[in-house]
Amino acid sequence: MRSITILSVNLYPLHLPFLEPFITSFGEEPFKAGVIVEVTTLDGIHGWGESPVEVYPGYGAETVVTGLHILEEFLVPNLSGVMINHPTEVPALLAHVRGNAHAKSGLEAAIWDAYAKTNHLRLADLFALSLPPGHGSRNKAVVGVSIGIMPTLEKTLEIVRKRVAQGYARIKLKIKPGWDIDLARAVRAEFPDIMLMLDANSAYTLADADHLAQLDEFNLLMIEQPLGHEDIYDHSQLQPRLKTPICLDESIKNLNDLKLALQVGAIGVLNLKPGRVGGFTESLRIYQHCAENNVPLWIGGMLESGIGRAANVAFASLPAVSLPCDISATDRYFAEDISEPPFVLNSDSTLNVPDGDGIGVQVIGSRIAESVDRWTDANSF
Ligand code: OSB
Ligand code: MG
């Protein structure tokens, strides 16, 4: 395989309007924010990545402003002019910075894309080359849809009807105290057979165990991150009190967290977000551990633009990803994305892995520029 040398790195703040408000237990996502990373190699190849940092530090600690700062001041300078023999070398080159997994992941993703393009491989096929035989891409990702907290139950039911009619085979509903049992009951009553799950984004404590056990009657696929965003121990105490499997999102920042959670019985299912664990290198280690230990696994989302979405679809097409992923079609999020073509839902609730090299979607320069302008307008006082 051909190595790459990093000539330059450009960073673009992302600001894309959503078609539908997205409200979670930690607040509203006012628009799709993030940092887009463009890596240019000595050969003139452009690699693209997306750091899924947010406007508010409500899901994780990182924001767009911390992401830009950490990338610009500390991460990018360590890569300029550096020759990279394989993208899995990148985490070691960024290890001098503690934390900041979301920021790191976008830079690593851009290098994965540049490397795949240099070697005329789809990103999905490059991932498979880092795995044992038998882990080739299925060329599509099985997906579901994540629905935010709505003003009323009726409004939620309307959206669920729309998404089911569009072909989504798995529905995830955001919950919080006071927006949980009745919600699950109403959706389950109308859709007795659909794959249904809930995501609390850390809105409960162990003292709510009896309350959460009331959700067991709704035959849920899983309940995602009910307790503290850094907690593993309390989840291990909660799981024996529930029939519903616990899925961890926020709490699992690396492979060691997963091993600990498995050891103490805190986790039944893993939501793997490449951004949350610092990128695709750590994601591949986690993937392999799940494959070897039969841990149910799916790929989560952060409402990414087409750049992050394309890379996540590639990863989600790997065969040990055993449950539907939080990666929906482009029209669930945006009227117009920053890349083309849009991702379209197939009738079997899947998205196709694009055919081209690397992430396989075309980044539209004028839309990146418009997105940067919107960010700048919103942040100039
Ligand atoms: O907890 O999974 C989450 C979006 C932003 C922050 C946290 C979460 C989410 C989602 C989005 O659920 C899922 C998607 O990208 O469609
Ligand atoms: Mg979640």
Side-chain angles (χ1 to χ4, degrees):
M1 296 252 247
R2 285 193 61 163
S3 62
I4 59 173
T5 298
I6 311 295
L7 184 64
S8 61
V9 179
N10 291 304
L11 306 173
Y12 309 96
L14 178 66
H15 186 304
L16 272 176
F18 284 129
L19 287 169
E20 184 181 289
F22 193 78
I23 299 173
T24 67
S25 63
F26 58 81
E28 176 165 6
E29 309 273 344
F31 53 87
K32 175 55 209 168
V35 174
I36 298 298
V37 182
E38 179 187 21
V39 162
T40 304
T41 71
L42 206 54
D43 297 336
I45 300 285
H46 298 273
W48 294 91
E50 179 170 346
S51 295
V53 289
E54 298 200 285
V55 177
Y56 303 110
Y59 167 78
E62 299 175 69
T63 69
V64 175
V65 174
T66 72
L68 288 168
H69 167 64
I70 294 288
L71 280 158
E72 235 164 64
E73 304 293 330
F74 306 112
L75 298 176
V76 169
N78 237 42
L79 292 184
S80 297
V82 170
M83 188 177 88
I84 289 167
N85 291 303
H86 194 274
T88 52
E89 294 169 4
V90 173
L93 297 169
L94 306 181
H96 62 110
V97 171
R98 299 269 167 95
N100 293 283
H102 290 88
K104 288 177 178 175
S105 73
L107 182 54
E108 202 210 75
I111 290 168
W112 277 95
D113 182 40
Y115 188 86
K117 284 170 172 162
T118 300
N119 288 287
H120 303 294
L121 287 167
R122 294 186 311 170
L123 194 53
D125 300 325
L126 179 58
F127 289 150
L129 287 174
S130 293
L131 294 167
H135 286 275
S137 169
R138 295 169 294 181
N139 302 318
K140 56 188 184 173
V142 180
V143 303
V145 63
S146 172
I147 296 174
I149 293 169
M150 297 282 166
T152 63
L153 285 181
E154 189 43 43
K155 181 82 188 136
T156 310
L157 285 166
E158 261 171 48
I159 301 273
V160 175
R161 283 178 204 126
K162 174 173 155 184
R163 298 306 178 203
V164 171
Q166 285 175 327
Y168 289 102
R170 188 228 65 186
I171 299 288
K172 162 169 144 181
L173 303 170
K174 292 289 187 176
I175 59 165
K176 62 178 182 181
W179 184 259
D180 45 22
I181 314 286
D182 293 347
L183 172 74
R185 180 174 290 112
V187 175
R188 192 39 106 204
E190 190 169 329
F191 300 94
D193 300 321
I194 195 148
M195 283 189 266
L196 183 65
M197 59 176 289
L198 307 176
D199 184 0
N201 289 111
S202 298
Y204 300 87
T205 70
L206 195 52
D208 299 311
D210 290 337
H211 177 76
L212 292 169
Q214 293 178 65
L215 294 166
D216 280 342
E217 68 175 284
F218 304 118
N219 187 27
L220 302 171
L221 204 52
M222 67 194 88
I223 179 167
E224 184 176 340
Q225 197 71 36
L227 309 182
H229 66 98
E230 289 185 313
D231 172 77
I232 290 175
Y233 179 76
D234 280 359
H235 283 101
S236 78
Q237 302 298 293
L238 178 63
Q239 183 64 90
R241 299 174 64 177
L242 304 180
K243 283 202 231 89
T244 307
I246 290 177
C247 167
L248 291 181
D249 173 358
E250 283 90 329
S251 293
I252 305 298
K253 306 272 200 288
N254 51 54
L255 175 57
N256 275 5
D257 287 345
L258 174 62
K259 287 178 176 171
L260 176 59
L262 288 167
Q263 180 88 39
V264 300
I267 189 170
V269 181
L270 177 65
N271 168 349
L272 171 57
K273 289 182 183 171
R276 196 191 63 227
V277 303
F280 290 114
T281 302
E282 186 69 8
S283 297
L284 284 163
R285 297 177 69 221
I286 292 173
Y287 170 96
Q288 211 169 319
H289 191 79
C290 290
E292 284 163 4
N293 296 279
N294 294 312
V295 179
L297 169 68
W298 55 282
I299 306 306
M302 295 286 288
L303 313 160
E304 284 86 352
S305 81
I307 292 174
R309 185 170 315 284
N312 286 351
V313 166
F315 199 95
S317 76
L318 298 171
V321 175
S322 55
L323 288 161
C325 299
D326 262 357
I327 314 174
S328 305
T330 304
D331 70 2
R332 178 256 173 272
Y333 309 93
F334 314 116
E336 185 186 79
D337 205 336
I338 53 171
S339 62
E340 291 287 341
F343 285 90
V344 178
L345 190 70
N346 300 318
S347 58
D348 58 351
S349 199
T350 61
L351 299 179
N352 295 336
V353 175
D355 275 332
D357 294 345
I359 56 174
V361 294
Q362 170 116 28
V363 178
I364 312 296
S366 59
R367 297 192 197 157
I368 298 266
E370 287 160 16
S371 168
V372 172
D373 286 347
R374 278 192 298 271
W375 171 266
T376 308
D377 289 349
N379 289 280
S380 56
F381 302 100

